[in-house]
Amino acid sequence: MSLLDFARGPALEAAMAVFVFGVCWRMLSLLLLPWARDKSVARAGAPPALLGATRSFVRHLWPPRPLAPGSLFVTVNGYVFHVGLAVIVFGLAQHILFLRGLVGVHWPNLPSGVVSAAAVVTLASLLAALGRRLTNPVLKLISTFNDYFSWFVTVLPVATGLVAVSHLWAPYETLLAVHLLSVALLLIWFPFGKLMHAFLVFLTRTETGIFYSRRGAEI
Amino acid sequence: MTSTIDVDAAAKTFLKHTQEQLVSYLEACVHCGSCAEACHFYVASGDPKHTPAYKLFPIAKAYRHQKFPLSWLGLAPRLAESDLKLWEELLFDTCTMCGRCTTACPMGIDIASIVGGARQAFVAAGLGPSDLLAAADSSRDHGSPLGLTAQKLRERVEWLADEHDVPIALDKAKADVLLTVSSIETMKYPESVVAMAKMLNHAGVDWTLSSKGYEATNFGYLSGKADVAKLMVERIVAAAESVGAKTVVVPECGHAFGVLRWAGANMLGRPLPFSVVHISEYMAQLKRDGRLKLKPMAESVTYHDPCQISRRGGATQDARYLLEGFAQDFREMTPTGDANWCCGGGGGVQAIGRAADLRYKVFKIKMDQVERTGAKTMVSSCSNCRLTMDESKAHWKWEGGLASLVEIVADHLIEESKPAA
């Protein structure tokens, strides 16, 4: 079995199994914890829970400037690499082909040049995020192994993918195998590290929204 | 404070608070640091340790050690005595549970909720600021954190009623409304009690104080003593039930309102048998009903939003409605309302002596805010904020005026020939 066969065969399959079961297990272990039932009486005229949850989700898309005047970089840079990652994952023809084989649906791809440009911007954005984490006194203090390793497993597929499509330094098959192995690493780490925020954000923003809205408070 | 730190007791108490919501909060933090600049303690001190997300580290550590799936790889170490020693100050002295960080957090994590539970764990371990814990013990043993026993309440009410010639109802057999007091105002700002009585009498409200349950502040909750917190709620419930009150009015104290209004039923395990309203909400309702007649006030004023009444209480607009048309020169601070800066003394921090210097630094944010408005006086509807600001004002020899919302309302009532309650 070649390295490429291993990468796109057992390695990726095992990684996807860890990802799916890991995410389901993490979410279920959270959702099956006891739920605090609020016995206080909601404020008269408080919006329904669904509306409070939705409002909170939308409002947290952009931090209010009076409360977080210095968060502009974090917010804009965060959007840059999140959108960049989405463009790469869902815009590249080879990724769409792979996802079609996996889930059976497909959509038109973006030109490879656009995706490559997005990858370069994403890499720059992720490097800027790391730079800030390493130099900002607050971020230096609150950063843990989880933060740095999650950054590493996110950067790796972007960097290896960019190298692979550029056919640099090594045969394409080897570069593709390394890229697929880096994706496998990302999928395996995903349920256990802070990348889980991609799922948890739907719980935290909405639960806080319900908590505040039943008080008649806006958030 | 005891000399032995019981780390296991802290870890167990932390884990008691692992309901779905709190665990989601602990797991979801992406360590982006956006909460730092929302926190008045970080802004005032510039110390990264005061970042709200950092304050959650020990509870996250205790939880992960027990539950994290990869803890066997050494990725989730045990909670240590050194963690508790280091974080005691951060969780008690440098968090007023004001919720500003919650609004700023892109994940919407409610850090204030976690701090409340975390304090209980520190107390279980034998930690916690001795003066804050003493306030809780005094509440349990004497009825109030400042030693306002039922007998002292009777004496003070009698004295205030005589001194100000205002009827103050105490221990009426039946009343629609049970008024509660904060011992801060009763002992340090007694005119506030007189003002509440004057205003309620003016509006023709059937009200009373009760020596069975009068203290609205809940230092049990603020200090992490859950048993005392519940006891304080039970006393008010007993008093309200004994007079048949349908409404309990909480005086000018933000946390007293927040705890009784939103946490009281959860402590009891059943809905409260009455509605709970803050005095600013109640006065706004009386005004809407046409029962408060006010003379115009010419002096320039600004309004300080107590966090638990505005941002976390949903009553932001009530104080403004009251001031509308009455305060002729009302000026908003920037930021204001739900984004307003905390006084620095909420959440029990006011009672912690060693936190005084930090509170003073925080107050400079407020001084700057007020000065930018040019208003002569800052009005608030929280006696805890007022006390914090009064002390800081003296420290900085600041010349700005401080006033209470209920007192300025009482001072501007157009007295008609309404019968006293």
Side-chain angles (χ1 to χ4, degrees):
Chain A
M1 184 185 281
S2 69
L3 184 65
L4 182 58
D5 288 339
F6 170 73
R8 66 178 159 202
L12 211 50
E13 281 167 16
M16 280 193 288
V18 171
F19 172 76
V20 171
F21 285 106
V23 168
C24 290
W25 181 73
R26 286 292 306 281
M27 291 305 284
L28 278 177
S29 66
L30 257 180
L31 296 172
L32 293 176
L33 282 168
W35 286 64
R37 302 285 174 201
D38 196 339
K39 294 185 172 62
S40 68
V41 177
R43 183 178 286 279
L50 186 62
L51 183 59
T54 309
R55 275 184 187 162
S56 168
F57 192 89
V58 172
R59 284 198 182 117
H60 278 101
L61 288 171
W62 195 266
R65 292 304 303 281
L67 280 98
S71 68
L72 191 63
F73 170 80
V74 178
T75 309
V76 172
N77 195 51
Y79 271 109
V80 169
F81 71 72
H82 278 87
V83 171
L85 289 169
V87 167
I88 298 164
V89 172
F90 300 110
L92 189 72
Q94 292 92 321
H95 291 166
I96 297 170
L97 211 58
F98 174 79
L99 292 167
R100 184 182 185 178
L102 204 63
V103 289
V105 290
H106 64 102
W107 51 88
N109 63 284
L110 290 168
S112 59
V114 171
V115 179
S116 292
V120 171
V121 171
T122 304
L123 266 184
S125 170
L126 285 165
L127 282 169
L130 179 66
R132 185 163 185 271
R133 194 168 282 288
L134 290 168
T135 54
N136 180 289
V138 166
L139 290 180
K140 267 166 71 179
L141 180 73
I142 65 175
S143 296
T144 61
F145 169 80
N146 187 355
D147 298 300
Y148 294 112
F149 194 65
S150 298
W151 179 90
F152 175 69
V153 301
T154 308
V155 162
L156 213 52
V158 182
T160 56
L162 204 53
V163 172
V165 295
S166 309
H167 300 271
L168 290 171
W169 300 315
Y172 178 70
E173 285 73 19
T174 310
L175 296 174
L176 183 59
V178 170
H179 175 60
L180 290 172
L181 288 172
S182 73
V183 173
L185 181 65
L186 169 75
L187 291 172
I188 290 169
W189 176 248
F190 194 110
F192 305 106
K194 78 168 187 180
L195 299 175
M196 269 300 285
H197 78 272
F199 292 94
L200 295 173
V201 68
F202 294 99
L203 289 180
T204 51
R205 280 191 192 170
T206 54
E207 288 178 353
T208 298
I210 293 168
F211 175 85
Y212 271 74
S213 69
R214 65 192 310 284
R215 297 177 173 210
E218 289 195 352
I219 185 154
Chain B
M1 191 194 304
T2 58
S3 57
T4 311
I5 298 173
D6 189 344
V7 181
D8 288 341
K12 276 184 197 157
T13 312
F14 276 142
L15 292 173
K16 267 194 213 163
H17 291 276
T18 49
Q19 295 103 342
E20 183 277 332
Q21 191 180 25
L22 292 192
V23 175
S24 298
Y25 287 153
L26 289 177
E27 299 281 13
C29 181
V30 292
H31 294 169
C32 70
S34 296
C35 52
E37 287 195 341
C39 175
H40 43 280
F41 289 115
Y42 171 75
V43 170
S45 71
D47 186 342
K49 287 206 304 294
H50 294 156
T51 303
Y54 189 63
K55 294 168 192 170
L56 305 185
F57 272 37
I59 187 164
K61 192 174 184 182
Y63 175 74
R64 286 195 188 120
H65 179 69
Q66 291 287 327
K67 310 281 185 184
F68 187 59
L70 300 184
S71 58
W72 54 277
L73 287 174
L75 292 178
R78 280 179 75 86
L79 185 70
E81 190 174 314
S82 56
D83 296 324
L84 295 177
K85 279 183 183 166
L86 179 64
W87 264 271
E88 186 212 52
E89 185 190 340
L90 297 180
L91 279 166
F92 284 93
D93 302 25
T94 74
C95 181
T96 52
M97 299 190 261
C98 77
R100 222 168 175 269
C101 50
T102 304
T103 313
C105 174
M107 296 294 290
I109 296 169
D110 188 32
I111 292 174
S113 297
I114 306 175
V115 169
R119 285 186 178 182
Q120 290 184 25
F122 276 77
V123 171
L127 290 163
S130 54
D131 33 17
L132 180 62
L133 296 176
D137 292 344
S138 176
S139 299
R140 180 194 59 215
D141 300 337
H142 307 295
S144 103
L146 295 180
L148 182 74
T149 60
Q151 181 56 31
K152 276 195 184 159
L153 175 73
R154 284 186 207 101
E155 288 166 10
R156 274 189 105 67
V157 162
E158 193 178 334
W159 163 63
L160 289 168
D162 278 354
E163 181 85 6
H164 296 271
D165 196 21
V166 171
I168 303 177
L170 175 64
D171 287 334
K172 272 168 62 175
K174 291 288 168 196
D176 292 339
V177 171
L178 175 73
L179 177 67
T180 54
V181 294
S182 143
S183 52
I184 295 174
E185 60 196 8
T186 312
M187 304 302 270
K188 303 199 175 187
Y189 305 112
E191 292 80 9
S192 222
V193 179
V194 178
M196 288 193 291
K198 198 173 158 188
M199 182 277 301
L200 292 169
N201 294 341
H202 167 92
V205 176
D206 175 22
W207 68 279
T208 187
L209 290 164
S210 169
S211 56
K212 287 183 185 162
Y214 49 90
E215 179 60 57
T217 63
N218 195 322
F219 276 78
Y221 180 87
L222 301 177
S223 67
K225 292 196 164 197
D227 54 336
V228 180
K230 188 177 177 190
L231 177 67
M232 298 307 286
V233 172
E234 285 170 342
R235 283 177 181 159
I236 290 176
V237 170
E241 285 180 336
S242 77
V243 300
K246 296 184 281 294
T247 303
V248 170
V249 174
V250 177
E252 291 194 321
C253 180
H255 272 275
F257 170 70
V259 175
L260 187 62
R261 176 69 178 86
W262 305 112
N266 297 322
M267 288 182 210
L268 287 186
R270 62 183 167 94
L272 297 174
F274 45 75
S275 60
V276 178
V277 288
H278 183 255
I279 189 84
S280 61
E281 291 178 284
Y282 196 66
M283 289 192 293
Q285 189 55 51
L286 291 174
K287 187 181 172 187
R288 274 183 213 106
D289 295 344
R291 294 165 71 182
L292 278 189
K293 309 286 183 205
L294 297 168
K295 292 180 276 195
M297 181 177 70
E299 184 181 319
S300 59
V301 293
T302 185
Y303 180 70
H304 164 75
D305 287 87
C307 316
Q308 304 302 322
I309 296 162
S310 293
R311 182 162 42 247
R312 287 173 79 79
T316 313
Q317 295 311 318
D318 281 329
R320 286 163 179 80
Y321 171 73
L322 256 179
L323 292 166
E324 191 181 296
F326 149 59
Q328 304 289 297
D329 187 359
F330 174 59
R331 306 172 189 191
E332 287 280 16
M333 282 183 265
T334 308
T336 189
D338 295 341
N340 196 27
W341 285 105
C342 170
C343 68
V349 175
Q350 165 57 35
I352 303 172
R354 68 188 183 197
D357 282 342
L358 196 51
R359 289 198 301 269
Y360 301 151
K361 283 183 190 167
V362 168
F363 185 66
K364 285 198 86 170
I365 301 174
K366 189 60 60 184
M367 281 160 53
D368 291 344
Q369 274 193 291
V370 177
E371 283 169 7
R372 282 199 299 272
T373 68
K376 196 175 166 197
T377 300
M378 172 166 52
V379 177
S380 183
S381 57
C382 175
S383 55
N384 189 69
C385 293
R386 188 180 177 188
L387 179 60
T388 302
M389 297 192 291
D390 252 345
E391 288 179 359
S392 300
K393 176 184 157 160
H395 174 82
W396 294 113
K397 300 181 174 56
W398 188 57
E399 291 182 350
L402 298 174
S404 128
L405 185 62
V406 72
E407 286 178 36
I408 63 165
V409 165
D411 287 346
H412 292 81
L413 291 169
I414 301 170
E415 291 296 356
E416 293 170 10
S417 55
K418 286 207 171 183

